[in-house]
């Protein structure tokens, strides 16, 4: 099932993507008096029971909206944690001239960094070296603490598409990456959150285009640490909560990996599209 958040009269609503458009879950529940979760958070917490209710709702007389003019919201609004994995593809570690890590490198972003599909992202004036990072994003479905690698994927609710936007001059100003990673709207995600059932996160094509030119093209099977390893590792140090999201790392092709003379950093007016097989395409324009 593909779920989205969208805005209607300044209210964030839950939607279900179907062939004919987007089911407005809130209106459909009101119209049919059918019991079903009406927010993304409620769906995640309710798990399979909530998804079953949404499946039954889809069989009712539901209200369907055209997706063409929809205003998207981030598919997660207030996760407790936004974790990110650095240098998780051999090719990216090589282009960054950094040793291949022996365990996942974790850093974080904050909720101010969340942004939606088609949202215009204003670049901060305190930096100049802006870069893209196409990434598969994990959405945690239930509380996870000290879970094994073998059990880890059972704690996943679903996956979405993400762009770990980075200000490289801020990122490497000190030993901490935070400033360059969590500027406002530097974590666009979406447009869809696809549920984990039937999806193999370890074999998905992933690409990034800038102004129509492919800059990154890889497959998630090239990760150094797969999704199960990342979840298990993180859960040894912190309890993961439903709705937490994890950016799983980016493949080669980022601007940082170019020879210095060829580094043409992102600028206002650039359009970035991140696509992941079976999940969807996330598009943003910079300003």
């Amino acid at each position: 099932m593909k779920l989205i958040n969208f805005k209607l009269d300044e209210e964030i609503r839950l939607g279900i993507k179907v062939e004919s458009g987007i089911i407005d879950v809130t209106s459909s529940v009101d119209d049919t008096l059918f019991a079903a979760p009406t927010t993304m958070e409620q769906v995640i917490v309710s798990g399979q029971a909530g998804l079953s209710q949404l499946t039954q709702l889809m069989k009712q007389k539901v209200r369907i909206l055209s997706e063409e003019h929809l205003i998207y919201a981030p598919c997660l609004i207030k996760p407790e944690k936004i974790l990110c994995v650095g240098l998780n593809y051999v090719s990216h570690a090589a282009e960054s001239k950094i040793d291949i890590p022996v365990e996942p490198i974790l850093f974080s972003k904050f909720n101010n960094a969340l942004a939606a599909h088609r949202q215009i992202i204003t670049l901060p004036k305190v930096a100049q070296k802006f870069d893209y990072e196409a990434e598969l994003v994990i959405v945690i479905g239930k509380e996870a603490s000290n879970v094994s690698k073998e059990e880890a994927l059972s704690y996943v609710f679903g996956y979405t598409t993400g762009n770990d936007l980075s200000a490289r001059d801020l990122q490497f100003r000190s030993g901490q990456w935070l400033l360059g990673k969590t500027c406002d709207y530097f974590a666009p995600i979406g447009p869809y959150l696809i549920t984990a059932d039937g999806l193999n996160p370890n074999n998905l094509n992933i690409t990034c285009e800038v102004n129509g030119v492919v800059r990154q093209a890889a497959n998630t099977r090239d990760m150094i640490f797969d999704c199960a390893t990342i979840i298990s590792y993180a859960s040894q140090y912190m309890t993961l909560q439903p709705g937490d999201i994890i950016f799983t790392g980016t493949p080669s092709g980022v601007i940082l990996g170019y020879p210095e003379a060829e580094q043409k950093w992102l600028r206002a007016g650039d359009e970035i599209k991140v696509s992941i097989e079976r999940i969807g395409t996330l598009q943003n324009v910079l300003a």
Side-chain angles (χ1 to χ4, degrees):
M1 185 179 294
K2 280 188 175 181
L3 303 171
I4 73 163
N5 278 332
F6 66 96
K7 292 182 179 180
L8 186 64
D9 298 327
E10 299 305 315
E11 177 188 2
I12 294 177
R13 295 201 180 199
L14 175 67
I16 305 172
K17 180 174 174 59
V18 293
E19 187 174 348
S20 55
I22 300 296
I23 296 175
D24 181 344
V25 173
T26 301
S27 294
S28 298
V29 166
D30 290 343
D31 292 344
T32 63
L33 301 180
F34 192 88
T38 56
T39 69
M40 191 72 76
E41 291 74 19
Q42 290 173 0
V43 180
I44 292 172
V45 170
S46 60
Q48 190 56 51
L51 290 173
S52 296
Q53 289 177 316
L54 291 179
T55 299
Q56 292 303 313
L57 177 67
M58 293 168 67
K59 299 176 182 178
Q60 311 301 310
K61 188 175 182 180
V62 293
R63 187 174 301 186
I64 296 180
L65 305 175
S66 169
E67 191 172 359
E68 184 179 358
H69 302 296
L70 216 59
I71 299 174
Y72 293 86
C75 49
L76 280 301
I77 304 301
K78 292 183 179 180
E80 183 184 271
K81 290 182 283 296
I82 302 175
L83 297 178
C84 308
V85 184
L87 304 171
N88 197 27
Y89 288 74
V90 172
S91 58
H92 179 48
E95 71 177 355
S96 300
K97 298 179 177 59
I98 299 175
D99 292 341
I100 296 173
V102 296
E103 58 187 29
I105 298 172
L106 299 183
F107 61 95
S108 62
K109 290 180 180 252
F110 299 135
N111 286 339
N112 67 292
L114 291 172
H117 173 56
R118 294 183 185 166
Q119 181 173 336
I120 295 173
I121 297 174
T122 301
L123 297 172
K125 296 180 180 179
V126 292
Q128 295 180 325
K129 297 181 178 181
F130 302 108
D131 208 347
Y132 48 81
E133 292 192 7
E135 308 205 10
L136 174 68
V137 179
I138 300 168
V139 180
I140 298 297
K142 55 185 178 180
E143 186 176 290
S145 178
N146 295 307
V147 303
S148 68
K149 180 179 177 181
E150 291 71 27
E151 299 174 316
L153 292 185
S154 70
Y155 289 81
V156 176
F157 175 79
Y159 303 90
T160 188
T161 305
N163 185 357
D164 174 17
L165 287 170
S166 306
R168 300 302 189 187
D169 40 355
L170 300 183
Q171 179 183 352
F172 298 113
R173 179 177 289 180
S174 70
Q176 301 294 326
W177 290 1
L178 183 66
L179 279 183
K181 291 290 189 174
T182 198
C183 298
D184 291 345
Y185 310 122
F186 267 33
I189 54 174
Y192 312 114
L193 195 173
I194 186 168
T195 53
D197 48 301
L199 184 73
N200 177 9
N202 300 318
N203 187 20
L204 297 171
N205 291 324
I206 179 170
T207 62
C208 176
E209 296 181 14
V210 178
N211 301 326
V213 177
V214 175
R215 298 288 190 88
Q216 294 180 283
N219 189 285
T220 56
R221 64 173 171 263
D222 301 326
M223 287 182 183
I224 299 169
F225 307 105
D226 63 16
C227 292
T229 301
I230 293 166
I231 294 165
S232 176
Y233 179 83
S235 77
Q236 310 305 314
Y237 299 95
M238 65 196 84
T239 300
L240 302 175
Q241 297 292 346
D244 283 352
I245 62 178
I246 305 175
F247 283 72
T248 58
T250 197
S252 62
V254 299
I255 301 170
L256 179 66
Y258 283 48
E260 188 171 353
E262 299 176 21
Q263 290 175 342
K264 296 181 180 179
W265 304 102
L266 297 173
R267 58 186 180 181
D270 285 344
E271 178 190 58
I272 307 165
K273 290 183 179 180
V274 176
S275 300
I276 300 180
E277 180 184 5
R278 297 188 60 191
I279 300 178
T281 297
L282 169 69
Q283 179 261 338
N284 297 100
V285 173
L286 306 180

